[in-house]
Amino acid sequence: MSMAHSQLSHSLENGLKTEDSEFPLKEIGNEGLTKRVLSKGVTWQTPFSGDEVEVHFRGQVENGASLESSYDKGSTFRFKLGQCEVIKGWDEGVATMKKGERAIFKIPPNLAYGAAGSPPLIPPNATLIFDIEMLSWSSIRDLTGDGGIMKKIIREGEGWATPTEADVVLVKYEARLENGMLFSRSDQGVEFNVSDGYLCPAMSIAVKTMRKGEVAELAMRFFYRLSQNSNRTTELDGCLPSDSNLSSIKLELVSWKIVTDVTGDKKILKKIKKVGEGFDRPNEGSQVKVVYLCKGEDGMIIERKGSEEEPFEFTTQEEQVPEGLERAIMTMKKTEQAMVTVDAEYLCDYNDSQGNTTNNKVLYYEVELVDFVKEKPFWKMDTQEKIEACERKKHDGNLLFKAKNFRRASKKYEKAVKYIEFDHSFNEDEKRQANTLRLSCNLNNAACKLKLGEYIEASRLCTKVLEQDPLNIKALYRRCQSYLKTSDLEKAEADIKRALIIDPNNRDIKLEYKELKLKQKEYSRYEADIFSTMLSRMS
């Protein structure tokens, strides 16, 4: 062994044995691999399996020959981590390293060349010692799990967020064919909705894994590289030759606009133009200040509300603005600006109430949420505030019921009951008030449900009242009406009879009893006809 090699071997072994290092000797796994850090890295990240790592190294057989050195060759060594391109000890050891880190590894035979060795330098059952310096790595990901799209990160992006399926992204790209020829590029950037895709399926799949400013190379196989969106071919540099396929794309995620699918069915979409402040959003009953502009499908302005100097004010859930717009506004933060697309399904009720006759299938809103004040939540109210809030909502519900707006009235009664749902902190007098309000709201809501044709819900509300007040005539009467509508005649008769015992002279109950008898007769005739038909067929 030469003097230089002898000194190198001595240096590597001493690096492992020295006790005055600030970094202790660590065991990696449970198969005998050890590591001592010589200089720590500059990041907290470590490479993943499949990443292409770049290292400098020198090595030796323990108490034996020196092995090759990248320092001596004057060039770095690259390999794909976890792909069996190097010995197992390297794969396991290098996976623990950070960028800029330098460490000495002692690799037992079972993680190196084993009983066979690697003649002539490495004898059987040899322990190897390597000094490895992690220079950098390029992350390579199998995005589809079948090798169809392999993504190699060229430049890391900012932050942690990535686009979602609904978002609109701005990308720059360079697409090449299998023969290396440039097929299409966009230096200025192209904007598209992730769910719609652009150029080929791989673009949408890859962009959902990228962070802002990230640059990556995509290697594609199978149908992930097939050209799509033929209606956009005029935007591309040329048409894809029939005998060629896209092979690789260099892709940069410049930025993206967050798009929220408010209803989950893509009928109300909110695209954020300016991110708002804080985390809070308006709730039901909030006093909201907005500025908005509404355009039709032809781009013509249909409605404009509010200005910077004097925003438009309204109370949420009071049908003062179109439902679709309101639902989007209730997902916004203070000072947020957004583009909102609303399907006609969420416009018709408001248009009818306002006398609007626009025939647009979709409307586009430019909205800014200037400010809002949330309604005080019930859990922050004292007992008297809860009772007063319940009375106000009940009063609002009564006015809406008189105006025959049964759906909104029902919501008011439901909200009223929530204020007094938990009365354990009420005193005896407050509990009596709460019980009276609860009975009244549930009864009134049952009347709304009957008008709306929601008979099962109406009977449920009446049952809640009867649990508190078994002799409540109105509850028995309305539950009977519900049972008649659902043809539950036995239950309807039981309620009618109970009501007549309590109040035998009640005119409405007597009329309902007559209707019950008529239905019972109709049902008896129906049963007789069925029985007769069965007998005739048998004979």
Side-chain angles (χ1 to χ4, degrees):
M1 182 185 297
S2 70
M3 179 68 70
H5 283 173
S6 176
Q7 289 173 347
L8 172 61
S9 300
H10 188 68
S11 170
L12 289 180
E13 292 185 30
N14 280 349
L16 274 174
K17 292 174 183 176
T18 183
E19 296 296 330
D20 58 0
S21 170
E22 63 175 301
F23 303 106
L25 189 69
K26 290 178 65 176
E27 186 168 348
I28 299 170
N30 53 13
E31 295 187 70
L33 175 64
T34 61
K35 169 187 176 182
R36 186 185 294 279
V37 175
L38 299 180
S39 57
K40 64 181 182 180
V42 295
T43 68
W44 57 269
Q45 295 166 307
T46 56
F48 289 94
S49 178
D51 290 352
E52 185 176 78
V53 299
E54 181 181 13
V55 299
H56 260 313
F57 75 94
R58 58 172 62 94
Q60 71 162 85
V61 177
E62 186 179 38
N63 301 319
S66 293
L67 305 175
E68 65 178 309
S69 164
S70 64
Y71 293 103
D72 293 344
K73 289 184 176 181
S75 61
T76 58
F77 176 59
R78 295 173 183 265
F79 68 97
K80 288 182 182 175
L81 193 64
Q83 307 299 305
C84 299
E85 294 184 2
V86 291
I87 58 175
K88 190 175 180 184
W90 265 60
D91 269 338
E92 292 185 6
V94 171
T96 69
M97 298 186 74
K98 303 173 177 67
K99 186 177 180 181
E101 182 182 315
R102 185 176 163 217
I104 291 182
F105 293 91
K106 185 175 182 180
I107 304 175
N110 54 302
L111 298 179
Y113 293 95
S118 182
L121 288 177
I122 302 174
N125 298 313
T127 295
L128 307 181
I129 300 173
F130 284 97
D131 175 352
I132 302 176
E133 180 184 0
M134 172 64 82
L135 301 175
S136 65
W137 66 84
S138 299
S139 293
I140 298 176
R141 301 283 182 275
D142 181 355
L143 300 185
T144 54
D146 59 3
I149 305 173
M150 300 300 292
K151 171 189 157 192
K152 178 179 178 180
I153 298 176
I154 306 302
R155 185 180 75 205
E156 292 284 351
E158 306 168 11
W160 55 268
T162 57
T164 64
E165 189 77 12
D167 293 345
V168 174
V169 295
L170 176 65
V171 301
K172 294 179 182 178
Y173 71 91
E174 191 177 278
R176 295 186 179 275
L177 303 178
E178 291 169 316
N179 60 9
M181 186 178 82
L182 180 66
F183 164 60
S184 177
R185 69 188 299 168
S186 174
D187 294 329
Q188 299 301 314
V190 63
E191 193 173 72
F192 66 92
N193 188 285
V194 177
S195 61
D196 294 338
Y198 186 85
L199 192 66
C200 67
M203 291 268 273
S204 287
I205 294 170
V207 83
K208 288 187 289 185
T209 70
M210 298 176 71
R211 296 176 291 160
K212 184 179 179 181
E214 184 178 317
V215 179
E217 283 185 2
L218 309 179
M220 300 167 292
R221 298 168 57 201
F222 316 126
F223 62 87
Y224 300 110
R225 61 190 182 186
L226 298 175
S227 181
Q228 66 179 30
N229 299 335
S230 56
N231 60 321
R232 290 182 174 166
T233 53
T234 54
E235 300 174 18
L236 305 177
D237 294 343
C239 295
L240 190 66
S242 58
D243 59 345
S244 297
N245 271 317
L246 293 175
S247 176
S248 65
I249 297 175
K250 185 177 180 181
L251 184 65
E252 177 183 354
L253 176 58
V254 180
S255 63
W256 75 90
K257 294 170 185 170
I258 299 171
V259 179
T260 304
D261 185 353
V262 176
T263 50
D265 56 6
K266 296 188 177 181
K267 300 215 171 152
I268 305 176
L269 296 174
K270 183 191 74 171
K271 184 194 297 182
I272 296 175
K273 291 170 64 180
K274 179 191 165 192
V275 177
E277 302 172 5
F279 300 96
D280 223 2
R281 296 175 173 86
N283 62 355
E284 183 183 345
S286 295
Q287 297 297 310
V288 174
K289 294 181 181 180
V290 297
V291 178
Y292 75 80
L293 174 72
C294 175
K295 294 181 180 179
E297 293 170 288
D298 58 0
M300 186 176 293
I301 295 174
I302 295 172
E303 185 180 31
R304 190 194 297 269
K305 287 280 181 80
S307 64
E308 286 186 19
E309 298 76 25
E310 193 175 346
F312 172 63
E313 295 188 41
F314 71 96
T315 304
T316 55
Q317 303 282 282
E318 294 289 345
E319 294 190 11
Q320 295 171 7
V321 294
E323 181 191 358
L325 174 63
E326 182 175 63
R327 290 180 71 163
I329 288 171
M330 290 178 73
T331 70
M332 296 174 71
K333 300 172 186 174
K334 184 180 176 180
T335 73
E336 183 179 318
Q337 295 177 11
M339 289 285 299
V340 179
T341 306
V342 182
D343 189 88
E345 180 181 324
Y346 290 95
L347 298 167
C348 54
D349 289 346
Y350 177 79
N351 286 340
D352 292 344
S353 66
Q354 301 294 311
N356 295 343
T357 56
T358 53
N359 294 318
N360 290 284
K361 292 182 180 177
V362 176
L363 289 182
Y364 303 93
Y365 291 90
E366 297 175 20
V367 192
E368 179 182 359
L369 177 55
V370 179
D371 199 2
F372 65 92
V373 178
K374 293 179 77 169
E375 184 180 52
K376 191 174 183 179
F378 75 90
W379 48 270
K380 283 190 175 181
M381 296 178 177
D382 61 34
T383 54
Q384 196 55 43
E385 284 177 318
K386 289 178 181 178
I387 289 171
E388 288 170 1
C390 178
E391 287 173 336
R392 283 196 303 273
K393 293 294 178 185
K394 179 194 166 188
H395 176 69
D396 292 343
N398 292 346
L399 293 177
L400 288 165
F401 190 90
K402 287 175 183 176
K404 298 188 177 180
N405 193 332
F406 304 118
R407 192 167 298 283
R408 281 189 64 202
S410 175
K411 287 181 180 178
K412 292 293 182 184
Y413 294 131
E414 287 170 2
K415 184 70 183 287
V417 170
K418 283 182 181 178
Y419 287 114
I420 54 172
E421 190 171 8
F422 303 105
D423 60 1
H424 54 273
S425 60
F426 290 19
N427 60 38
E428 290 306 313
D429 184 50
E430 288 169 339
K431 282 184 179 179
R432 281 191 291 273
Q433 289 182 67
N435 284 336
T436 302
L437 284 167
R438 194 180 294 111
L439 286 173
S440 179
C441 288
N442 283 332
L443 275 174
N444 292 353
N445 197 8
C448 291
K449 297 299 184 185
L450 284 168
K451 295 289 187 181
L452 293 167
E454 298 176 19
Y455 304 119
I456 293 174
E457 187 61 19
S459 64
R460 186 188 69 82
L461 288 164
C462 291
T463 300
K464 289 184 81 169
V465 172
L466 290 165
E467 286 169 357
Q468 279 186 260
D469 181 8
L471 303 179
N472 192 292
I473 289 288
K474 285 185 178 178
L476 287 167
Y477 174 65
R478 287 173 188 166
R479 192 168 71 171
C480 172
Q481 287 181 305
S482 302
Y483 287 150
L484 282 174
K485 292 294 185 181
T486 56
S487 298
D488 204 337
L489 303 184
E490 287 184 10
K491 288 183 178 179
E493 186 173 19
D495 279 354
I496 284 282
K497 287 180 176 178
R498 277 177 66 190
L500 285 171
I501 291 169
I502 297 164
D503 187 0
N505 298 317
N506 189 302
R507 183 174 175 274
D508 290 333
I509 293 172
K510 286 181 177 179
L511 289 172
E512 203 68 25
Y513 189 58
K514 283 184 180 179
E515 185 180 343
L516 171 66
K517 289 299 178 185
L518 285 172
K519 281 213 166 194
Q520 286 175 331
K521 284 180 181 178
E522 288 174 10
Y523 188 69
S524 296
R525 281 198 296 270
Y526 172 74
E527 281 188 319
D529 289 343
I530 293 243
F531 187 64
S532 175
T533 303
M534 287 174 62
L535 285 176
S536 64
R537 286 180 179 175
M538 288 172 64
S539 60

